[in-house]
Amino acid sequence: MVEQITVREALLDDARPICMLFRSRIPVWQRLTASGSVESLPYDSLTVYERWTHGGPWMSIETAAIALGRLLNGVGLALVAERRGEIVGYLEAYPGYEPAPFGGHLHLAHLVTGGAAGPDAEIADSLLRRAGDVARHLPDKRLTVSLPSETGDDAQFYRQRGFAPLARVSRYLVPSKAGQGFYKVTEHTRSSVDQIDGMLMAFGRTESASMLWESVWVSVWEVIPQLAQRGISRMKLDASGHGVLICAQPVPHDPRIVDLWGWSARPMNPVLLTALRDWAHREKYHALRLIVDSETAGLFGTDAESDPFSRITFALQV
């Protein structure tokens, strides 16, 4: 007899079993010591931040409850799969409204069925079917997911279910540079996601615009002191009428370089690029680390350097 899998929207009471699903994928729990060495320790010996470094908010019940509460409050979709009353799978997704090629879509952030060997096909398919039902109510009836390559095991899993590559971004190191031009930078503290509806990500789009807004822009995780110390700046830059909301974070291992994420009504252009490089120069950064598509990369010139990092967005019409 085939055991039935049921899928439903998550409840706050599900935070602990969802947390356990994520934790089951971590084979060894470790801590970085003051001397720079790594030691393996029991899970209960680690702080909330040390658990976070293994995979974000789902590593501890304390932060898992906060993450799930935000999802249930409307920032995204949280689904659980049950078998015999036990939670055996979890799917998290974010609705987004961006210009082509993404359109109105539902972006998959997590699809977890426990263990480190990859998703259980039956459980995963049950969750994906329910997510597809939700995506059908969005303008472009599209599911998307971001993957590190077009050929890995994850890519094969999604290709078998009809997903196909839609967009690709790569990472570039762009030197800061004093430039001529008029632009204005102001602090921007408003965090509601509705203000980015219809915007694209001019740079930094490793996931969907709405998912990154929740994970990068929203400052809820800065209740953890070590995360508050990351030095993230949230601002609006206006360059000759081209406004962009920017999140800037110094690269942890090299604070002379700054990572940027940008939400804007228009793609990058030479005026905006000049303003970004000049801002970085004034802030004493040596370089910006920008993740962009190949068309935008054509603006950088010969002094920009690429590295092996890339992300590919796969999509499925439902």
Side-chain angles (χ1 to χ4, degrees):
M1 179 179 177
V2 177
E3 295 178 337
Q4 185 178 8
I5 296 171
T6 59
V7 175
R8 60 171 173 80
E9 293 188 15
L11 305 171
L12 192 57
D13 284 337
D14 300 324
R16 187 175 298 278
I18 295 171
C19 178
M20 295 303 295
L21 280 176
F22 279 88
R23 285 172 51 184
S24 70
R25 304 190 301 176
I26 308 299
V28 180
W29 296 93
Q30 297 178 319
R31 169 189 291 158
L32 184 66
T33 68
S35 64
S37 62
V38 176
E39 58 180 351
S40 298
L41 292 168
Y43 174 85
D44 289 337
S45 298
L46 300 178
T47 65
V48 169
Y49 172 71
E50 288 166 343
R51 297 170 190 169
W52 175 287
T53 62
H54 290 75
W58 293 109
M59 296 294 104
S60 295
I61 184 60
E62 295 88 344
T63 46
I66 296 173
L68 185 54
R70 290 190 59 79
L71 290 163
L72 299 182
N73 204 34
V75 302
L77 173 71
L79 300 175
V80 293
E82 290 182 310
R83 179 188 283 149
R84 299 193 306 274
E86 177 187 359
I87 290 178
V88 293
Y90 172 73
L91 182 147
E92 180 178 322
Y94 293 82
Y97 304 89
E98 301 178 50
F102 307 106
H105 64 281
L106 186 67
H107 184 75
L108 304 176
H110 297 293
L111 178 58
V112 183
T113 59
D120 177 290
E122 185 182 6
I123 299 171
D125 287 341
S126 297
L127 288 162
L128 286 171
R129 280 194 294 271
R130 181 65 173 273
D133 291 341
V134 175
R136 287 188 185 93
H137 294 282
L138 297 174
D140 290 277
K141 299 177 173 58
R142 180 177 292 131
L143 278 176
T144 65
V145 64
S146 179
L147 302 175
S149 80
E150 294 189 36
T151 58
D153 291 343
D154 286 346
Q156 182 179 0
F157 171 85
Y158 283 102
R159 284 182 185 273
Q160 290 171 348
R161 285 150 182 83
F163 285 76
L166 179 67
R168 181 188 185 98
V169 291
S170 300
R171 188 166 63 190
Y172 297 83
L173 196 66
V174 181
S176 61
K177 182 180 180 181
Q180 295 183 343
F182 296 99
Y183 65 92
K184 181 180 180 181
V185 176
T186 54
E187 183 182 12
H188 191 85
T189 57
R190 185 180 166 212
S191 62
S192 57
V193 70
D194 62 325
Q195 66 190 301
I196 65 166
D197 281 354
M199 285 188 176
L200 53 80
M201 288 201 72
F203 40 88
R205 196 189 188 281
T206 54
E207 302 283 351
S208 75
S210 57
M211 177 183 168
L212 286 168
W213 185 266
E214 174 66 14
S215 60
V216 178
W217 189 283
V218 176
S219 60
V220 62
W221 303 118
E222 292 175 9
V223 296
I224 300 174
Q226 295 91 334
L227 298 182
Q229 294 167 7
R230 293 177 297 178
I232 292 179
S233 301
R234 299 168 178 89
M235 56 195 169
K236 181 176 182 180
L237 185 149
D238 191 295
S240 300
H242 189 163
V244 56
L245 299 176
I246 297 173
C247 187
Q249 178 181 336
V251 174
H253 64 270
D254 190 349
R256 299 170 302 173
I257 300 171
V258 61
D259 280 325
L260 295 183
W261 297 263
W263 295 259
S264 174
R266 290 185 282 163
M268 179 89 80
N269 61 23
V271 173
L272 176 58
L273 179 59
T274 297
L276 290 172
R277 296 179 75 173
D278 185 76
W279 169 84
H281 176 77
R282 292 173 182 270
E283 294 294 320
K284 310 301 182 185
Y285 291 113
H286 290 190
L288 309 97
R289 202 161 64 170
L290 297 172
I291 297 172
V292 298
D293 59 25
S294 58
E295 183 177 353
T296 301
L299 300 172
F300 293 162
T302 57
D303 55 350
E305 299 178 7
S306 63
D307 68 32
F309 178 91
S310 66
R311 298 291 289 187
I312 297 92
T313 298
F314 281 69
L316 172 70
Q317 291 298 128
V318 296

